[in-house]
């Protein structure tokens, strides 16, 4: 049996995404065995982030500065804005280094079942950013779920009065995907979004 403190650490770790109770116990054992090389640097890093963690007032990203490093980067294209549901989506897109513009985090997606309404999301902040001018394109990078598409449709209605190009991410057959293994929804979207062969 482990002490209450060790058990509490394992329980806290098991609440993290991707870690169940057994994985959390293995992590705790590894941390205890590698106290100087893993545990102490991890504690210092957690304390530093906890002290400096901020939410960017401009885009909603989580960083250690406000504005965040993306909003403060002068090399970014200020005319292109990519709207995402959550910070994890922003990080995933930015990791690809394919989008040169800036981002806007909604903080979720519309969901009648979960009681998430437009006023619960950072939609007014998005509209205000577009209303300021200087943005030529808004990319709606919502997840390919019913709630994500509902959110994208709502945003399109809210932004239709502005002189911007409104686009959304393509959905359909993934690179390396085999048709035999795809669900009907993915296939239907791929067929609807077909384009001429050039």
């Amino acid at each position: 049996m482990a002490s209450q403190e060790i058990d509490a650490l394992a329980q806290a770790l098991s609440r993290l995404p991707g870690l169940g109770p057994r994985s959390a116990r293995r992590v705790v054992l590894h941390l205890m065995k590698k106290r100087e090389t893993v545990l102490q640097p991890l504690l210092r890093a957690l304390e530093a982030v906890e002290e400096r963690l901020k939410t960017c007032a401009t885009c909603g990203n989580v960083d250690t500065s406000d504005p965040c490093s993306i909003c403060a980067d002068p090399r970014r294209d200020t005319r292109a804005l990519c709207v995402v549901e959550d910070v994890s989506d922003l990080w995933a897109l930015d990791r690809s280094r394919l989008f040169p513009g800036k981002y806007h985090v909604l903080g979720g997606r519309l969901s009648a079942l979960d009681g998430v309404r437009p006023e619960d999301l950072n939609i007014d902040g998005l509209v205000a950013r577009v209303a300021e001018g200087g943005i030529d394109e808004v990319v709606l990078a919502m997840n390919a779920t019913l709630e994500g598409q509902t959110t994208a449709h709502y945003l399109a209605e809210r932004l239709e009065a502005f002189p911007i190009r409104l686009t959304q991410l393509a959905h359909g057959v993934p690179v390396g995907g085999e048709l035999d293994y795809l669900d009907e929804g993915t296939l239907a979207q791929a067929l609807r979004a077909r384009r001429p062969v050039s």
Side-chain angles (χ1 to χ4, degrees):
M1 290 293 289
S3 71
Q4 284 184 331
E5 294 84 3
I6 294 173
D7 192 42
L9 176 59
Q11 286 180 15
L13 289 172
S14 71
R15 290 192 289 272
L16 294 174
L19 286 180
R22 291 178 65 193
S23 298
R25 285 192 295 272
R26 283 195 295 271
V27 169
V28 169
L29 283 172
H30 181 74
L31 290 172
M32 291 188 318
K33 287 178 185 177
K34 306 279 186 172
R35 193 178 285 178
E36 284 80 26
T37 59
V38 178
L39 178 61
Q40 291 174 354
L42 176 63
L43 287 173
R44 286 192 295 274
L46 286 171
E47 287 173 353
V49 167
E50 197 274 331
E51 288 172 6
R52 300 184 59 209
L53 194 63
K54 294 176 175 50
T55 299
C56 179
T58 305
C59 73
N61 188 16
V62 178
D63 204 337
T64 55
S65 61
D66 183 14
C68 70
S69 57
I70 293 173
C71 288
D73 188 347
R75 297 169 296 178
R76 293 279 181 165
D77 183 358
T78 58
R79 294 167 296 141
L81 187 65
C82 183
V83 182
V84 295
E85 293 176 17
D86 290 305
V87 172
S88 60
D89 301 325
L90 183 157
W91 290 358
L93 281 168
D94 204 52
R95 236 185 352 260
S96 73
R97 300 190 189 283
L98 295 173
F99 183 71
K102 299 200 176 189
Y103 294 91
H104 186 86
V105 180
L106 294 175
R109 61 182 173 257
L110 297 175
S111 174
L113 289 175
D114 297 325
V116 180
R117 302 163 307 181
E119 53 269 20
D120 298 325
L121 303 176
N122 190 12
I123 294 173
D124 289 339
L126 169 65
V127 173
R129 287 179 78 180
V130 173
E132 285 177 13
I135 295 175
D136 296 334
E137 180 183 13
V138 173
V139 180
L140 301 178
M142 308 295 103
N143 289 315
T145 61
L146 179 62
E147 294 88 357
Q149 296 311 299
T150 301
T151 305
H153 181 71
Y154 179 82
L155 293 175
E157 287 180 351
R158 290 284 306 267
L159 297 173
E160 69 184 351
F162 298 100
I164 57 168
R165 193 170 125 219
L166 196 59
T167 60
Q168 70 179 27
L169 294 183
H171 300 290
V173 180
V175 174
E178 296 183 30
L179 297 180
D180 192 32
Y181 293 104
L182 298 177
D183 64 274
E184 290 81 16
T186 301
L187 286 171
Q189 183 62 38
L191 282 169
R192 281 195 296 272
R194 65 188 183 274
R195 60 182 195 267
V197 177
S198 52

